Amino acid sequence: MAGFADLNVPQGPDKKCLQSLLEAAAHLGYSAVALNHVIDFKEKKQEIVKPVSPSELFPSLPIVQGTSKRIKVLTRLTLVVSDPSHCNLLRSTSANIRLYDIIAVFPKTEKLFHIACTTLDVDLVCINVTEKLPFYFRRPPVNMAIDRGIYFELLYTPAIKDSTMRRYTISNAISLMQICKGKNVVISSAAERPLELRGPYDVANLGLLFGLSESEAKAAVSTNCRAAVLHGETRKSACGVVYTVKKPRKVEEEETALPACKKAKTQA
Amino acid sequence: MAAPQLRRLGQAPRHLLVCEKGHARHARSRHAAHVRDHAYNCRVSFLIPECGILPEVLKSTVADVGEYYLVRSLPVHELVAQEFIDAFVKKGSCYALSYNTKIDQDNTAALLPNGKLILSVDKDTYEELGLQGRPSQYSGKKVMRYIITIDLTDAGFHPDSKKHNRVLWALKEKKPLEFDFLLAWYTNIGAGGSTLMSYFSKNQIQALKPKITFSTLRDLQCPVLQSNELQGKPDESCSTEELFEWLGAVLNQVSLDNTSSSFLSTYCCPQPNVMVEKAFLCTITGFIIPEKIIQLLEQLCCYFGEPKLAYWLTLTVHGFADSPVSWRESEHGFHKGGENLYNFVIFRNLDYWLQMAGTSRRMPDIYLQRS
């Protein structure tokens, strides 16, 4: 089984807070975290910024407890969509979107959920856990999502904070499990403070309350996260097989190469 | 709607406890074989009721548990090298276990005393490595872990053979695997620590001594046991499960008095029990090889050679939670906890109970059939 991952650490403006979150995650034994950048289309015009590269943010990443490796930091973009027109952004080949490792959508209506599961090129579909579901899950889109390798994300921090939200979290999770049968589920934190993070084995245990079996619950924090990240990686490659990387070219070479090229053209 | 989920929650996590009974001096007693089957042990503890001071013989046996070695970032192909096989694997029992690697996340490696090298690797590594293995028995439809077994003492595994070359090529060039290893070596001539030290002198090797702690427990309530009553009899003796639970509480220093003000534990000693004035508890932690445990077990049997107050004593051995094998070569998994341990209860008449416990994951089938 792959290492544990938490695919949702909100990327706030406070760098110190983020650093302490990363340290807490590494101490708990997560070997990968994804910094989440949320874009809500309801609020004015929002620009999709380039992801901040983790190496820029943190010069030295904390070491995962019990191993000698450093924690892996990924970037993630979450789009909160409440209108079908918002999805156009995902269809267009926006350069900035492609730079993110993981792309998630948070559909607000049943129609959008259907679109997200069946047609959009995303890795994660967020499930609302803070209020009563505005719609029922239906089998066709969920099955389609499972076939396409899209994962459903459940958050556990709201359940820690508040008892009403806990009720919604559990009931929404169970209604999802009745349809997806425990397949393709990812559990992540969305923790804003280090105290809200929980260890991976504890999260897997919480998964039992969501109606997952023991092995499914453990997969929800390890194997499924790995699969979601790999699904995101295929977006950057051709058919998930071929990568194209820009070859770093030296300045001097370019200078000498250019005239030769011109010459060849005129001759032809 | 939530009924199936609730029903599932009602089930306690699966664990297994297998018990068997025997006599330590019986000609066909298998107690030593059982100890030998469990290769990697990280903690040995014994509890002797009605004993204030440890006899000298036992004390020297405990002190003689032997050193073990920690080699930092040792490439696995060094364990496959012919010089190593000739010098150590074929001449005695060589134990090696990768250190600080997690069986459910990382690659792990272990060398068994019978000369089998076991690599438990994840899917990516397995595909890169190009060695033949089999899927882990704990994987479902999607196989994420593979087990590769290489028999180093096999006659076909000589330096010129195709197989040897392929293994060496895979571990050296295809995917160079490197681990921190815990090493121990035992021969009939004597522990060959210095040879191990000199062989790996170019790697970072350090000799470590097991940590030994002695403690005397005062006024301990001990359950009453009868060697021929495994299931226990109401009001006469306790069953093996009750003893096992009690022993876990004693070894972890859980309070047994069940005071109403305690919010941590409401556990108390099973009935019937006797109050014992003092009990001796010794714990050894480290990389302890089975040969030494057998010696210790023999000495503990000899403890009853002279008349003693105690009716029984116990010896508990914990295995590494992250070792790729538990008993013999059977695969060991880690789901929420990887405990694999066994416990001997030795009675005054040298009858013994052996309790073997595993986690929610399956125990070796051979043991299940016998119980």
Side-chain angles (χ1 to χ4, degrees):
Chain A
M1 212 164 279
F4 296 112
D6 185 354
L7 293 188
N8 194 341
V9 173
Q11 188 173 15
D14 190 1
K15 204 175 142 187
K16 232 182 208 168
C17 179
L18 205 55
Q19 177 80 27
S20 62
L21 264 173
L22 282 188
E23 269 162 21
H27 180 75
L28 287 170
Y30 287 103
S31 48
V33 290
L35 299 181
N36 191 11
H37 185 77
V38 185
I39 287 184
D40 195 344
F41 286 109
K42 260 191 192 158
E43 299 163 18
K44 293 179 238 163
K45 266 266 174 239
Q46 286 215 342
E47 284 287 302
I48 296 174
V49 288
K50 267 191 184 177
V52 191
S53 87
S55 54
E56 226 172 87
L57 266 175
F58 314 105
S60 70
L61 293 166
I63 288 172
V64 184
Q65 195 200 19
T67 60
S68 50
K69 284 172 242 157
R70 293 189 181 279
I71 194 167
K72 204 170 143 194
V73 179
L74 306 161
T75 51
R76 162 179 159 166
L77 178 73
T78 305
L79 301 173
V80 183
V81 289
S82 46
D83 190 90
S85 63
H86 297 154
C87 301
N88 292 342
L89 195 74
L90 276 172
R91 292 205 185 88
S92 66
T93 48
S94 158
N96 282 352
I97 283 190
R98 297 205 157 236
L99 294 174
Y100 284 90
D101 291 317
I102 304 164
I103 293 174
V105 284
F106 193 153
K108 288 284 188 188
T109 63
E110 180 166 18
K111 201 177 168 198
L112 285 164
F113 180 78
H114 192 279
I115 293 172
C117 286
T118 50
T119 52
L120 286 186
D121 184 17
V122 291
D123 313 309
L124 293 174
V125 174
C126 305
I127 305 294
N128 196 341
V129 291
T130 52
E131 53 197 75
K132 195 174 186 306
L133 272 183
F135 56 90
Y136 287 110
F137 296 111
R138 299 200 185 281
R139 230 169 261 274
V142 171
N143 286 347
M144 183 94 176
I146 292 172
D147 285 344
R148 293 175 67 219
I150 291 173
Y151 286 75
F152 298 102
E153 187 198 40
L154 290 164
L155 304 178
Y156 65 82
T157 305
I160 292 171
K161 279 180 179 166
D162 185 82
S163 67
T164 331
M165 291 203 190
R166 181 152 56 234
R167 206 178 305 151
Y168 287 130
T169 307
I170 293 175
S171 79
N172 292 359
I174 286 177
S175 61
L176 173 71
M177 292 321 154
Q178 281 180 333
I179 306 299
C180 76
K181 304 253 188 281
K183 279 187 232 160
N184 286 38
V185 177
V186 165
I187 305 177
S188 51
S189 71
E192 279 154 6
R193 279 168 298 173
L195 265 183
E196 289 164 1
L197 274 174
R198 292 292 181 270
Y201 291 103
D202 297 340
V203 177
N205 216 2
L206 183 73
L208 294 184
L209 274 184
F210 294 169
L212 295 162
S213 76
E214 272 191 36
S215 54
E216 284 163 356
K218 199 172 170 186
V221 277
S222 56
T223 343
N224 290 358
C225 295
R226 173 182 175 273
V229 172
L230 288 181
H231 188 264
E233 237 170 70
T234 57
R235 199 176 309 111
K236 294 177 187 168
S237 61
C239 306
V241 183
V242 187
Y243 272 106
T244 50
V245 180
K246 230 177 206 169
K247 204 174 154 192
R249 214 186 282 171
K250 279 179 192 163
V251 189
E252 295 165 37
E253 274 182 6
E254 256 175 77
E255 279 173 0
T256 51
L258 265 173
C261 183
K262 268 181 191 164
K263 221 177 211 175
K265 256 187 185 169
T266 46
Q267 272 173 357
Chain B
M1 171 176 131
Q5 273 78 29
L6 286 179
R7 203 181 309 139
R8 212 187 289 156
L9 274 179
Q11 295 170 0
R14 272 194 69 195
H15 69 277
L16 271 164
L17 179 64
V18 182
C19 298
E20 61 177 63
K21 192 177 150 258
H23 192 273
R25 293 284 174 264
H26 193 276
R28 283 170 64 193
S29 170
R30 287 185 38 84
H31 62 281
H34 278 302
V35 177
R36 216 169 281 129
D37 280 349
H38 198 262
Y40 307 111
N41 312 294
C42 66
R43 191 167 94 158
V44 176
S45 38
F46 57 87
L47 177 79
I48 311 176
E50 305 279 12
C51 169
I53 307 157
L54 206 60
E56 278 305 316
V57 194
L58 265 174
K59 217 176 234 175
S60 64
T61 318
V62 169
D64 184 40
V65 162
E67 306 189 296
Y68 58 99
Y69 303 90
L70 175 63
V71 194
R72 296 265 173 208
S73 47
L74 178 73
V76 180
H77 69 80
E78 296 224 5
L79 296 182
V80 190
Q82 196 59 34
E83 303 94 72
F84 180 81
I85 297 174
D86 286 340
F88 297 99
V89 178
K90 285 185 179 165
K91 282 196 182 150
S93 315
C94 190
Y95 297 85
L97 180 67
S98 58
Y99 177 62
N100 253 347
T101 50
K102 293 188 176 136
I103 188 78
D104 57 343
Q105 298 175 46
D106 311 322
N107 303 324
T108 49
L111 178 62
L112 282 167
N114 61 4
K116 290 212 170 136
L117 178 69
I118 291 168
L119 300 170
S120 171
V121 291
D122 57 24
K123 186 173 150 244
D124 300 356
T125 320
Y126 179 72
E127 283 165 3
E128 276 178 75
L129 208 54
L131 287 174
Q132 198 187 349
R134 57 178 174 80
S136 156
Q137 66 180 83
Y138 300 120
S139 46
K141 270 182 201 162
K142 273 191 229 161
V143 183
M144 293 301 288
R145 180 159 287 276
Y146 288 86
I147 311 294
I148 302 167
T149 312
I150 305 164
D151 192 351
L152 301 182
T153 51
D154 187 21
F157 198 76
H158 54 82
D160 303 319
S161 65
K162 255 185 168 176
K163 196 176 171 191
H164 184 268
N165 290 341
R166 169 127 191 135
V167 169
L168 218 56
W169 168 74
L171 292 172
K172 241 181 192 168
E173 290 166 36
K174 275 294 275 186
K175 176 85 188 170
L177 287 174
E178 238 184 41
F179 299 106
D180 294 351
F181 271 104
L182 289 172
L183 285 173
W185 191 47
Y186 181 85
T187 47
N188 295 331
I189 320 152
S194 52
T195 26
L196 260 182
M197 275 292 248
S198 57
Y199 186 86
F200 289 111
S201 56
K202 53 187 183 302
N203 304 83
Q204 257 184 300
I205 184 164
Q206 71 193 106
L208 297 169
K209 281 228 180 280
K211 212 174 96 190
I212 302 166
T213 50
F214 298 112
S215 58
T216 312
L217 309 173
R218 304 261 166 208
D219 300 326
L220 185 72
Q221 283 182 313
C222 290
V224 175
L225 303 175
Q226 276 176 3
S227 64
N228 49 359
E229 291 289 343
L230 281 169
Q231 295 304 319
K233 263 188 185 170
D235 301 327
E236 277 181 41
S237 66
C238 297
S239 71
T240 52
E241 286 98 23
E242 282 171 324
L243 169 84
F244 196 69
E245 210 172 46
W246 172 82
L247 199 63
V250 171
L251 293 184
N252 291 310
Q253 274 120 41
V254 175
S255 70
L256 299 169
D257 22 277
N258 188 18
T259 47
S260 55
S261 58
S262 168
F263 290 97
L264 285 176
S265 152
T266 54
Y267 183 74
C268 58
C269 186
Q271 292 287 343
N273 54 33
V274 284
M275 186 64 105
V276 171
E277 202 182 307
K278 54 199 170 184
F280 194 86
L281 175 68
C282 170
T283 308
I284 312 164
T285 46
F287 187 63
I288 304 152
I289 57 174
E291 279 83 357
K292 298 289 176 186
I293 297 173
I294 294 172
Q295 282 178 12
L296 184 63
L297 189 63
E298 281 308 311
Q299 288 303 326
L300 284 173
C301 288
C302 294
Y303 177 79
F304 286 118
E306 296 161 27
K308 295 281 184 242
L309 275 174
Y311 282 94
W312 47 265
L313 56 85
T314 65
L315 172 78
T316 316
V317 181
H318 289 260
F320 281 88
D322 285 305
S323 76
V325 290
S326 52
W327 273 271
R328 282 184 213 176
E329 283 162 45
S330 61
E331 195 190 330
H332 175 233
F334 188 107
H335 195 68
K336 277 183 189 162
E339 65 264 23
N340 54 108
L341 65 143
Y342 59 88
N343 177 41
F344 277 100
V345 186
I346 301 157
F347 291 89
R348 206 188 258 180
N349 58 359
L350 293 187
D351 272 352
Y352 70 84
W353 290 353
L354 170 61
Q355 303 170 307
M356 291 175 280
T359 39
S360 49
R361 297 288 177 100
R362 268 176 296 163
M363 282 263 284
D365 296 337
I366 38 163
Y367 290 106
L368 287 182
Q369 282 158 12
R370 203 182 294 143
S371 62

